[in-house]
Amino acid sequence: MAYVMLQYDRPSDTQNWNNYNQHVWDWIDQFLKMPGAVSFVAYRTTNQESPDTFTMLEFHTLEEARQAAASEPLKRILAELRLVGAVARVLLVERSPFTPKPVLA
């Protein structure tokens, strides 16, 4: 599995916060329509550390993730995030060969 990960701070001012919240489900829908997309998950920090938001869009292959990271739909989402004050960093990550599946307690 491979992932397109976004790291950013959610907007803190009221207007941008409201705009951000109005678009979140549209962005998730656009993420999941990308060719090869398997799943989407988002995480928030609990201690106000920056960046405070991490999203992971999962793909079966690294090549699919690379194509999504360079795609026009992702560029549009990133531009829309910037318009509401959330500047995202994009990372491509994959599972380590040492832990291809989660290690259970």
Side-chain angles (χ1 to χ4, degrees):
M1 298 303 223
Y3 303 84
V4 174
M5 176 188 280
L6 273 58
Q7 300 174 335
Y8 59 91
D9 289 316
R10 292 182 310 281
S12 56
D13 63 284
T14 303
Q15 181 177 351
N16 280 330
W17 176 256
N18 289 334
N19 288 338
Y20 173 87
N21 285 332
Q22 289 174 354
H23 289 93
V24 167
W25 287 108
D26 291 335
W27 292 327
I28 293 170
D29 185 52
Q30 290 174 50
F31 280 130
L32 291 172
K33 288 180 179 173
M34 291 182 183
V38 174
S39 68
F40 176 88
V41 65
Y43 299 93
R44 295 179 175 184
T45 61
T46 59
N47 58 359
Q48 288 74 45
E49 289 287 327
S50 179
D52 63 18
T53 302
F54 300 83
T55 68
M56 296 180 68
L57 181 60
E58 181 180 29
F59 294 86
H60 287 292
T61 69
L62 186 56
E63 185 55 34
E64 289 171 330
R66 279 192 181 111
Q67 290 173 0
S71 71
E72 287 304 314
L74 184 64
K75 290 176 185 176
R76 278 194 302 276
I77 292 169
L78 294 173
E80 291 172 7
L81 280 166
R82 278 191 297 279
L83 287 175
V84 299
V87 178
R89 179 177 177 206
V90 178
L91 300 166
L92 288 178
V93 299
E94 64 181 344
R95 290 191 177 174
S96 166
F98 295 104
T99 56
K101 293 183 180 179
V103 178
L104 304 177

